[in-house]
PDB file of all heavy atoms in Angstrom:
ATOM      1  N   TYR P   1     -12.947   5.249  -4.987  1.00 89.00           N
ATOM      2  CA  TYR P   1     -11.511   5.365  -5.246  1.00 89.00           C
ATOM      3  C   TYR P   1     -11.030   4.385  -6.319  1.00 89.00           C
ATOM      4  O   TYR P   1      -9.874   4.426  -6.724  1.00 89.00           O
ATOM      5  CB  TYR P   1     -10.728   5.194  -3.953  1.00 89.00           C
ATOM      6  CG  TYR P   1     -10.984   6.329  -2.987  1.00 89.00           C
ATOM      7  CD1 TYR P   1     -11.400   6.080  -1.682  1.00 89.00           C
ATOM      8  CD2 TYR P   1     -10.847   7.657  -3.380  1.00 89.00           C
ATOM      9  CE1 TYR P   1     -11.649   7.123  -0.794  1.00 89.00           C
ATOM     10  CE2 TYR P   1     -11.102   8.707  -2.509  1.00 89.00           C
ATOM     11  CZ  TYR P   1     -11.502   8.423  -1.223  1.00 89.00           C
ATOM     12  OH  TYR P   1     -11.759   9.459  -0.344  1.00 89.00           O
ATOM     13  N   TYR P   2     -11.913   3.492  -6.752  1.00 92.00           N
ATOM     14  CA  TYR P   2     -11.607   2.661  -7.920  1.00 92.00           C
ATOM     15  C   TYR P   2     -11.969   3.382  -9.213  1.00 92.00           C
ATOM     16  O   TYR P   2     -11.608   2.927 -10.302  1.00 92.00           O
ATOM     17  CB  TYR P   2     -12.400   1.348  -7.857  1.00 92.00           C
ATOM     18  CG  TYR P   2     -11.920   0.386  -6.791  1.00 92.00           C
ATOM     19  CD1 TYR P   2     -12.538   0.341  -5.546  1.00 92.00           C
ATOM     20  CD2 TYR P   2     -10.855  -0.479  -7.032  1.00 92.00           C
ATOM     21  CE1 TYR P   2     -12.111  -0.541  -4.563  1.00 92.00           C
ATOM     22  CE2 TYR P   2     -10.414  -1.363  -6.065  1.00 92.00           C
ATOM     23  CZ  TYR P   2     -11.046  -1.392  -4.827  1.00 92.00           C
ATOM     24  OH  TYR P   2     -10.611  -2.262  -3.868  1.00 92.00           O
ATOM     25  N   ASP P   3     -12.698   4.463  -9.081  1.00 93.00           N
ATOM     26  CA  ASP P   3     -13.163   5.221 -10.244  1.00 93.00           C
ATOM     27  C   ASP P   3     -11.999   6.013 -10.845  1.00 93.00           C
ATOM     28  O   ASP P   3     -11.449   6.899 -10.190  1.00 93.00           O
ATOM     29  CB  ASP P   3     -14.274   6.180  -9.803  1.00 93.00           C
ATOM     30  CG  ASP P   3     -14.863   6.984 -10.956  1.00 93.00           C
ATOM     31  OD1 ASP P   3     -14.420   6.788 -12.105  1.00 93.00           O
ATOM     32  OD2 ASP P   3     -15.769   7.799 -10.689  1.00 93.00           O
ATOM     33  N   PRO P   4     -11.601   5.725 -12.086  1.00 91.00           N
ATOM     34  CA  PRO P   4     -10.480   6.458 -12.681  1.00 91.00           C
ATOM     35  C   PRO P   4     -10.762   7.944 -12.857  1.00 91.00           C
ATOM     36  O   PRO P   4      -9.835   8.736 -13.030  1.00 91.00           O
ATOM     37  CB  PRO P   4     -10.285   5.772 -14.039  1.00 91.00           C
ATOM     38  CG  PRO P   4     -11.580   5.097 -14.326  1.00 91.00           C
ATOM     39  CD  PRO P   4     -12.154   4.705 -12.999  1.00 91.00           C
ATOM     40  N   LEU P   5     -12.051   8.346 -12.790  1.00 92.00           N
ATOM     41  CA  LEU P   5     -12.407   9.740 -12.997  1.00 92.00           C
ATOM     42  C   LEU P   5     -12.708  10.481 -11.694  1.00 92.00           C
ATOM     43  O   LEU P   5     -13.151  11.630 -11.727  1.00 92.00           O
ATOM     44  CB  LEU P   5     -13.617   9.832 -13.947  1.00 92.00           C
ATOM     45  CG  LEU P   5     -13.460   9.105 -15.281  1.00 92.00           C
ATOM     46  CD1 LEU P   5     -14.653   9.390 -16.185  1.00 92.00           C
ATOM     47  CD2 LEU P   5     -12.166   9.498 -15.967  1.00 92.00           C
ATOM     48  N   HIS P   6     -12.465   9.842 -10.558  1.00 91.00           N
ATOM     49  CA  HIS P   6     -12.619  10.510  -9.260  1.00 91.00           C
ATOM     50  C   HIS P   6     -11.551  11.603  -9.136  1.00 91.00           C
ATOM     51  O   HIS P   6     -10.449  11.464  -9.671  1.00 91.00           O
ATOM     52  CB  HIS P   6     -12.462   9.482  -8.131  1.00 91.00           C
ATOM     53  CG  HIS P   6     -12.728  10.024  -6.772  1.00 91.00           C
ATOM     54  ND1 HIS P   6     -11.783  10.748  -6.065  1.00 91.00           N
ATOM     55  CD2 HIS P   6     -13.822   9.974  -5.978  1.00 91.00           C
ATOM     56  CE1 HIS P   6     -12.292  11.104  -4.894  1.00 91.00           C
ATOM     57  NE2 HIS P   6     -13.526  10.645  -4.820  1.00 91.00           N
ATOM     58  N   PRO P   7     -11.856  12.715  -8.412  1.00 89.00           N
ATOM     59  CA  PRO P   7     -10.883  13.825  -8.316  1.00 89.00           C
ATOM     60  C   PRO P   7      -9.478  13.418  -7.871  1.00 89.00           C
ATOM     61  O   PRO P   7      -8.492  13.988  -8.356  1.00 89.00           O
ATOM     62  CB  PRO P   7     -11.528  14.761  -7.290  1.00 89.00           C
ATOM     63  CG  PRO P   7     -12.989  14.513  -7.415  1.00 89.00           C
ATOM     64  CD  PRO P   7     -13.126  13.056  -7.749  1.00 89.00           C
ATOM     65  N   VAL P   8      -9.359  12.434  -6.970  1.00 85.00           N
ATOM     66  CA  VAL P   8      -8.024  12.051  -6.494  1.00 85.00           C
ATOM     67  C   VAL P   8      -7.178  11.447  -7.608  1.00 85.00           C
ATOM     68  O   VAL P   8      -5.949  11.403  -7.506  1.00 85.00           O
ATOM     69  CB  VAL P   8      -8.103  11.067  -5.310  1.00 85.00           C
ATOM     70  CG1 VAL P   8      -8.812  11.685  -4.130  1.00 85.00           C
ATOM     71  CG2 VAL P   8      -8.779   9.765  -5.714  1.00 85.00           C
ATOM     72  N   ASN P   9      -7.821  10.982  -8.665  1.00 82.00           N
ATOM     73  CA  ASN P   9      -7.092  10.361  -9.778  1.00 82.00           C
ATOM     74  C   ASN P   9      -6.929  11.285 -10.972  1.00 82.00           C
ATOM     75  O   ASN P   9      -6.412  10.867 -12.009  1.00 82.00           O
ATOM     76  CB  ASN P   9      -7.824   9.095 -10.240  1.00 82.00           C
ATOM     77  CG  ASN P   9      -7.914   8.048  -9.158  1.00 82.00           C
ATOM     78  OD1 ASN P   9      -6.952   7.816  -8.436  1.00 82.00           O
ATOM     79  ND2 ASN P   9      -9.068   7.407  -9.035  1.00 82.00           N
ATOM     80  N   MET P  10      -7.351  12.543 -10.817  1.00 77.00           N
ATOM     81  CA  MET P  10      -7.447  13.419 -11.978  1.00 77.00           C
ATOM     82  C   MET P  10      -6.387  14.520 -12.038  1.00 77.00           C
ATOM     83  O   MET P  10      -6.523  15.459 -12.804  1.00 77.00           O
ATOM     84  CB  MET P  10      -8.837  14.052 -12.028  1.00 77.00           C
ATOM     85  CG  MET P  10      -9.953  13.064 -12.367  1.00 77.00           C
ATOM     86  SD  MET P  10      -9.701  12.263 -13.954  1.00 77.00           S
ATOM     87  CE  MET P  10      -9.814  13.676 -15.028  1.00 77.00           C
ATOM     88  N   GLN P  11      -5.354  14.421 -11.243  1.00 73.00           N
ATOM     89  CA  GLN P  11      -4.312  15.447 -11.297  1.00 73.00           C
ATOM     90  C   GLN P  11      -3.646  15.446 -12.669  1.00 73.00           C
ATOM     91  O   GLN P  11      -3.313  14.401 -13.222  1.00 73.00           O
ATOM     92  CB  GLN P  11      -3.267  15.191 -10.219  1.00 73.00           C
ATOM     93  CG  GLN P  11      -3.805  15.356  -8.809  1.00 73.00           C
ATOM     94  CD  GLN P  11      -2.728  15.167  -7.761  1.00 73.00           C
ATOM     95  OE1 GLN P  11      -1.571  14.956  -8.074  1.00 73.00           O
ATOM     96  NE2 GLN P  11      -3.129  15.257  -6.507  1.00 73.00           N
ATOM     97  N   ASN P  12      -3.470  16.659 -13.202  1.00 75.00           N
ATOM     98  CA  ASN P  12      -2.806  16.855 -14.499  1.00 75.00           C
ATOM     99  C   ASN P  12      -3.524  16.175 -15.652  1.00 75.00           C
ATOM    100  O   ASN P  12      -2.914  15.846 -16.669  1.00 75.00           O
ATOM    101  CB  ASN P  12      -1.355  16.363 -14.439  1.00 75.00           C
ATOM    102  CG  ASN P  12      -0.562  17.055 -13.354  1.00 75.00           C
ATOM    103  OD1 ASN P  12      -0.662  18.264 -13.173  1.00 75.00           O
ATOM    104  ND2 ASN P  12       0.229  16.286 -12.617  1.00 75.00           N
ATOM    105  N   GLN P  13      -4.835  15.966 -15.504  1.00 80.00           N
ATOM    106  CA  GLN P  13      -5.639  15.381 -16.567  1.00 80.00           C
ATOM    107  C   GLN P  13      -6.520  16.471 -17.187  1.00 80.00           C
ATOM    108  O   GLN P  13      -6.849  17.459 -16.536  1.00 80.00           O
ATOM    109  CB  GLN P  13      -6.517  14.252 -16.026  1.00 80.00           C
ATOM    110  CG  GLN P  13      -5.752  13.095 -15.415  1.00 80.00           C
ATOM    111  CD  GLN P  13      -4.908  12.361 -16.446  1.00 80.00           C
ATOM    112  OE1 GLN P  13      -5.368  12.064 -17.548  1.00 80.00           O
ATOM    113  NE2 GLN P  13      -3.667  12.085 -16.102  1.00 80.00           N
ATOM    114  N   PRO P  14      -6.931  16.290 -18.449  1.00 86.00           N
ATOM    115  CA  PRO P  14      -7.839  17.268 -19.079  1.00 86.00           C
ATOM    116  C   PRO P  14      -9.133  17.426 -18.290  1.00 86.00           C
ATOM    117  O   PRO P  14      -9.550  16.518 -17.556  1.00 86.00           O
ATOM    118  CB  PRO P  14      -8.094  16.657 -20.460  1.00 86.00           C
ATOM    119  CG  PRO P  14      -6.901  15.808 -20.724  1.00 86.00           C
ATOM    120  CD  PRO P  14      -6.501  15.244 -19.396  1.00 86.00           C
ATOM    121  N   ASP P  15      -9.797  18.562 -18.451  1.00 91.00           N
ATOM    122  CA  ASP P  15     -11.013  18.874 -17.693  1.00 91.00           C
ATOM    123  C   ASP P  15     -12.169  17.943 -18.023  1.00 91.00           C
ATOM    124  O   ASP P  15     -13.070  17.755 -17.211  1.00 91.00           O
ATOM    125  CB  ASP P  15     -11.459  20.311 -17.973  1.00 91.00           C
ATOM    126  CG  ASP P  15     -10.438  21.332 -17.525  1.00 91.00           C
ATOM    127  OD1 ASP P  15      -9.468  20.934 -16.851  1.00 91.00           O
ATOM    128  OD2 ASP P  15     -10.599  22.523 -17.845  1.00 91.00           O
ATOM    129  N   ILE P  16     -12.181  17.383 -19.218  1.00 94.00           N
ATOM    130  CA  ILE P  16     -13.231  16.448 -19.631  1.00 94.00           C
ATOM    131  C   ILE P  16     -12.566  15.112 -19.948  1.00 94.00           C
ATOM    132  O   ILE P  16     -11.644  15.051 -20.763  1.00 94.00           O
ATOM    133  CB  ILE P  16     -14.009  16.971 -20.848  1.00 94.00           C
ATOM    134  CG1 ILE P  16     -14.668  18.309 -20.520  1.00 94.00           C
ATOM    135  CG2 ILE P  16     -15.070  15.951 -21.284  1.00 94.00           C
ATOM    136  CD1 ILE P  16     -15.290  19.008 -21.703  1.00 94.00           C
ATOM    137  N   GLN P  17     -13.034  14.063 -19.271  1.00 92.00           N
ATOM    138  CA  GLN P  17     -12.378  12.771 -19.390  1.00 92.00           C
ATOM    139  C   GLN P  17     -13.365  11.664 -19.749  1.00 92.00           C
ATOM    140  O   GLN P  17     -14.469  11.589 -19.199  1.00 92.00           O
ATOM    141  CB  GLN P  17     -11.710  12.405 -18.060  1.00 92.00           C
ATOM    142  CG  GLN P  17     -10.366  13.073 -17.849  1.00 92.00           C
ATOM    143  CD  GLN P  17      -9.279  12.407 -18.664  1.00 92.00           C
ATOM    144  OE1 GLN P  17      -9.031  11.205 -18.552  1.00 92.00           O
ATOM    145  NE2 GLN P  17      -8.624  13.190 -19.509  1.00 92.00           N
ATOM    146  N   LEU P  18     -12.953  10.795 -20.659  1.00 93.00           N
ATOM    147  CA  LEU P  18     -13.688   9.574 -20.982  1.00 93.00           C
ATOM    148  C   LEU P  18     -13.061   8.424 -20.207  1.00 93.00           C
ATOM    149  O   LEU P  18     -11.835   8.299 -20.158  1.00 93.00           O
ATOM    150  CB  LEU P  18     -13.615   9.270 -22.471  1.00 93.00           C
ATOM    151  CG  LEU P  18     -14.035  10.367 -23.449  1.00 93.00           C
ATOM    152  CD1 LEU P  18     -13.854   9.893 -24.879  1.00 93.00           C
ATOM    153  CD2 LEU P  18     -15.479  10.762 -23.208  1.00 93.00           C
ATOM    154  N   MET P  19     -13.881   7.583 -19.600  1.00 90.00           N
ATOM    155  CA  MET P  19     -13.335   6.484 -18.816  1.00 90.00           C
ATOM    156  C   MET P  19     -12.515   5.527 -19.672  1.00 90.00           C
ATOM    157  O   MET P  19     -11.442   5.064 -19.268  1.00 90.00           O
ATOM    158  CB  MET P  19     -14.455   5.710 -18.133  1.00 90.00           C
ATOM    159  CG  MET P  19     -13.924   4.658 -17.163  1.00 90.00           C
ATOM    160  SD  MET P  19     -15.222   3.627 -16.454  1.00 90.00           S
ATOM    161  CE  MET P  19     -15.662   2.641 -17.889  1.00 90.00           C
ATOM    162  N   GLN P  20     -13.019   5.229 -20.866  1.00 84.00           N
ATOM    163  CA  GLN P  20     -12.353   4.235 -21.708  1.00 84.00           C
ATOM    164  C   GLN P  20     -10.950   4.677 -22.126  1.00 84.00           C
ATOM    165  O   GLN P  20     -10.102   3.847 -22.436  1.00 84.00           O
ATOM    166  CB  GLN P  20     -13.202   3.960 -22.956  1.00 84.00           C
ATOM    167  CG  GLN P  20     -14.573   3.369 -22.653  1.00 84.00           C
ATOM    168  CD  GLN P  20     -14.504   1.991 -22.016  1.00 84.00           C
ATOM    169  OE1 GLN P  20     -13.480   1.306 -22.108  1.00 84.00           O
ATOM    170  NE2 GLN P  20     -15.568   1.572 -21.353  1.00 84.00           N
ATOM    171  N   ARG P  21     -10.693   5.996 -22.130  1.00 80.00           N
ATOM    172  CA  ARG P  21      -9.382   6.481 -22.580  1.00 80.00           C
ATOM    173  C   ARG P  21      -8.551   7.027 -21.426  1.00 80.00           C
ATOM    174  O   ARG P  21      -7.596   7.763 -21.642  1.00 80.00           O
ATOM    175  CB  ARG P  21      -9.579   7.549 -23.653  1.00 80.00           C
ATOM    176  CG  ARG P  21     -10.392   7.021 -24.835  1.00 80.00           C
ATOM    177  CD  ARG P  21     -10.319   7.920 -26.032  1.00 80.00           C
ATOM    178  NE  ARG P  21     -11.123   7.393 -27.122  1.00 80.00           N
ATOM    179  CZ  ARG P  21     -11.153   7.884 -28.343  1.00 80.00           C
ATOM    180  NH1 ARG P  21     -10.419   8.928 -28.638  1.00 80.00           N
ATOM    181  NH2 ARG P  21     -11.925   7.352 -29.273  1.00 80.00           N
ATOM    182  N   ASN P  22      -8.925   6.661 -20.217  1.00 79.00           N
ATOM    183  CA  ASN P  22      -8.203   7.136 -19.044  1.00 79.00           C
ATOM    184  C   ASN P  22      -7.415   5.989 -18.428  1.00 79.00           C
ATOM    185  O   ASN P  22      -7.979   4.933 -18.130  1.00 79.00           O
ATOM    186  CB  ASN P  22      -9.197   7.715 -18.022  1.00 79.00           C
ATOM    187  CG  ASN P  22      -8.499   8.316 -16.827  1.00 79.00           C
ATOM    188  OD1 ASN P  22      -7.950   7.604 -16.011  1.00 79.00           O
ATOM    189  ND2 ASN P  22      -8.515   9.637 -16.736  1.00 79.00           N
ATOM    190  N   ASP P  23      -6.112   6.192 -18.237  1.00 79.00           N
ATOM    191  CA  ASP P  23      -5.244   5.123 -17.729  1.00 79.00           C
ATOM    192  C   ASP P  23      -4.521   5.522 -16.447  1.00 79.00           C
ATOM    193  O   ASP P  23      -3.408   5.079 -16.187  1.00 79.00           O
ATOM    194  CB  ASP P  23      -4.204   4.741 -18.796  1.00 79.00           C
ATOM    195  CG  ASP P  23      -4.847   4.227 -20.073  1.00 79.00           C
ATOM    196  OD1 ASP P  23      -5.796   3.434 -19.965  1.00 79.00           O
ATOM    197  OD2 ASP P  23      -4.407   4.638 -21.163  1.00 79.00           O
ATOM    198  N   VAL P  24      -5.161   6.366 -15.610  1.00 79.00           N
ATOM    199  CA  VAL P  24      -4.477   6.857 -14.419  1.00 79.00           C
ATOM    200  C   VAL P  24      -4.433   5.823 -13.302  1.00 79.00           C
ATOM    201  O   VAL P  24      -3.650   5.954 -12.366  1.00 79.00           O
ATOM    202  CB  VAL P  24      -5.123   8.163 -13.893  1.00 79.00           C
ATOM    203  CG1 VAL P  24      -4.997   9.270 -14.909  1.00 79.00           C
ATOM    204  CG2 VAL P  24      -6.584   7.933 -13.516  1.00 79.00           C
ATOM    205  N   ILE P  25      -5.277   4.792 -13.363  1.00 83.00           N
ATOM    206  CA  ILE P  25      -5.220   3.718 -12.374  1.00 83.00           C
ATOM    207  C   ILE P  25      -4.942   2.410 -13.102  1.00 83.00           C
ATOM    208  O   ILE P  25      -5.032   2.325 -14.323  1.00 83.00           O
ATOM    209  CB  ILE P  25      -6.518   3.613 -11.548  1.00 83.00           C
ATOM    210  CG1 ILE P  25      -7.705   3.191 -12.430  1.00 83.00           C
ATOM    211  CG2 ILE P  25      -6.827   4.921 -10.851  1.00 83.00           C
ATOM    212  CD1 ILE P  25      -8.964   2.895 -11.648  1.00 83.00           C
TER     213      ILE P  25
END
């Protein structure tokens, strides 16, 4: 759940995500 790319953190995000450019947490 600390993973920014885990499904619970991916609502309304693009289908392919880079960790470095993800700011959901």
